Amino acid sequence: MTGNPENGALMEIACDESGSDGENLTGGNTDVFAHASVRLPVETAAAYVQEIRRRIRSPAEEYKANHLLRDKHRAVLESFLGPTGPLRDGNAHVHLIEKTFFVVDRAVDLLLDEDEDCDGTEAATLFRDGPRTFGERGWRDFLAASNQLLRVRNDAAATVPADVFFRTVDALRDEYSGTTAGVIVGRLAAARSRAESYRERMRDSPVLFPVLNPLLPAIVSTARYWLAEGRSVRLVHDRQNMLTPERIAWIMEAAPLSDVELVAARSDARVQLADFLAGIARKLASDELNGRGDPALTALLRPYVGTDSVWGDEGSGLRLGTAEANSAV
């Protein structure tokens, strides 16, 4: 590998993710996506992985976050996240994405981005007012229709996702026309031409950057976090099918990065620690989102959470530390 986190020139950052369901963000197995990054010398990371193995004493060849999340290993988890652990003092970062909010945000961006009345708050307002205005079923139908509209891979005919989406928003607009959420979906309902143009593009040409896959924007956000220190950054990332050469080239230019290397997680102890942190962050953030958070563990996670995380729920956002970014959404 080229570069060393202590040489003052090139900073190597190891990354991994947890909670990937591809483009299925409203009906997948997880409700939170987490992308974690770690800055440590290889030797330090390797020593800590060995320390975790010594304390947990599982026969598994490869440890994952769920080993640390077991109740009987609570002390190991607290040590890993705590002030005396390897990741404090600016050595780690987590970018969180609340999946349903990401869908709402992407739908609003696609359909209202050029609207002169769009002031950037519509996604957050709709996300927070929609469930109580439309009810559980109406909100669920809106999320599912939005996911299908934006999804690149869709077995239905090209026009079907748009038809379903606009039947859904037309009905919500008509029933809830006097509400804030109803006004926003009414503006979405008026943007059919943009939606149909989007579906035509998905049908006619290969898509390099699926708008619903959270991995690419998470990597760019992670890279920019570390680049803010004013040094060149090289990412060492767990292998992902999503990270094709073309997409890596785009990430390197968008961030911008000096290099991106894909490795097997178990071959690099730094990536293993990022894998632990990503899985732990996803679970703890999901618990907070669903009202079953552990205050002590959330407090330990909070110093790592990026304020540019994509998070719409106000209460859990305040506890996790994402609220600063989303208060201006």
Side-chain angles (χ1 to χ4, degrees):
M1 294 185 179
T2 60
N4 184 295
E6 298 177 352
N7 68 7
L10 184 65
M11 180 166 52
E12 280 198 347
I13 304 298
C15 306
D16 206 349
E17 56 78 25
S18 179
S20 178
D21 287 312
E23 294 181 282
N24 185 17
L25 301 190
T26 61
N29 298 316
T30 58
D31 50 12
V32 173
F33 177 89
H35 188 266
S37 51
V38 169
R39 173 181 58 183
L40 286 174
V42 175
E43 298 79 7
T44 302
Y48 202 79
V49 169
Q50 288 305 310
E51 174 65 11
I52 290 174
R53 295 187 68 93
R54 183 190 67 79
R55 296 181 66 181
I56 291 180
R57 303 181 68 83
S58 168
E61 290 188 12
E62 183 177 3
Y63 279 29
K64 305 294 286 185
N66 60 4
H67 287 92
L68 286 80
L69 287 164
R70 293 169 185 166
D71 289 342
K72 63 182 179 179
H73 299 312
R74 171 76 177 234
V76 182
L77 175 58
E78 291 180 343
S79 174
F80 179 71
L81 295 176
T84 61
L87 304 183
R88 284 294 179 94
D89 300 323
N91 287 324
H93 174 264
V94 177
H95 182 77
L96 294 174
I97 293 178
E98 183 184 355
K99 291 183 178 181
T100 52
F101 178 61
F102 189 68
V103 171
V104 175
D105 184 63
R106 295 299 85 205
V108 168
D109 183 69
L110 172 69
L111 299 179
L112 299 185
D113 182 53
E114 299 176 2
D115 191 326
E116 62 182 14
D117 294 324
C118 182
D119 62 6
T121 66
E122 283 79 5
T125 300
L126 178 57
F127 183 80
R128 293 164 184 172
D129 288 358
R132 57 176 173 259
T133 300
F134 305 148
E136 181 179 353
R137 181 174 179 178
W139 183 242
R140 185 176 64 245
D141 289 347
F142 172 76
L143 291 176
S146 298
N147 198 144
Q148 289 302 312
L149 175 70
L150 298 175
R151 192 170 183 171
V152 173
R153 293 190 176 185
N154 201 308
D155 295 332
T159 59
V160 170
D163 291 339
V164 172
F165 177 81
F166 285 101
R167 280 200 302 270
T168 302
V169 294
D170 285 350
L172 293 173
R173 174 201 60 198
D174 294 344
E175 186 169 355
Y176 302 101
S177 59
T179 67
T180 299
V183 170
I184 295 174
V185 296
R187 290 170 56 201
L188 296 176
R192 182 164 190 135
S193 61
R194 294 181 192 170
E196 291 177 344
S197 296
Y198 171 79
R199 292 309 315 170
E200 289 172 3
R201 293 197 301 274
M202 298 306 99
R203 179 195 62 195
D204 295 338
S205 60
V207 176
L208 190 58
F209 311 112
V211 298
L212 278 187
N213 194 303
L215 180 60
L216 297 180
I219 293 176
V220 171
S221 178
T222 294
R224 288 174 177 169
Y225 170 82
W226 293 105
L227 283 162
E229 295 194 11
R231 294 167 59 184
S232 298
V233 172
R234 179 178 190 268
L235 293 189
V236 181
H237 203 290
D238 183 35
R239 288 175 182 165
Q240 302 284 341
N241 291 335
M242 183 72 180
L243 296 178
T244 62
E246 295 81 7
R247 288 169 179 152
I248 289 174
W250 177 84
I251 290 169
M252 289 180 61
E253 182 176 353
L257 292 165
S258 296
D259 191 19
V260 176
E261 179 185 4
L262 302 184
V263 302
R266 59 189 301 178
S267 71
D268 190 311
R270 300 168 303 173
V271 178
Q272 289 181 57
L273 292 183
D275 179 45
F276 294 164
L277 181 58
I280 290 166
R282 183 200 60 74
K283 176 62 165 59
L284 298 184
S286 180
D287 286 347
E288 279 295 341
L289 180 63
N290 290 285
R292 54 176 185 267
D294 182 315
L297 293 179
T298 299
L300 290 175
L301 175 64
R302 184 183 174 110
Y304 304 107
V305 175
T307 55
D308 61 345
S309 295
V310 183
W311 202 266
D313 182 70
E314 291 180 284
S316 59
L318 286 169
R319 295 186 292 274
L320 290 165
T322 68
E324 177 181 336
N326 293 292
S327 63
V329 173

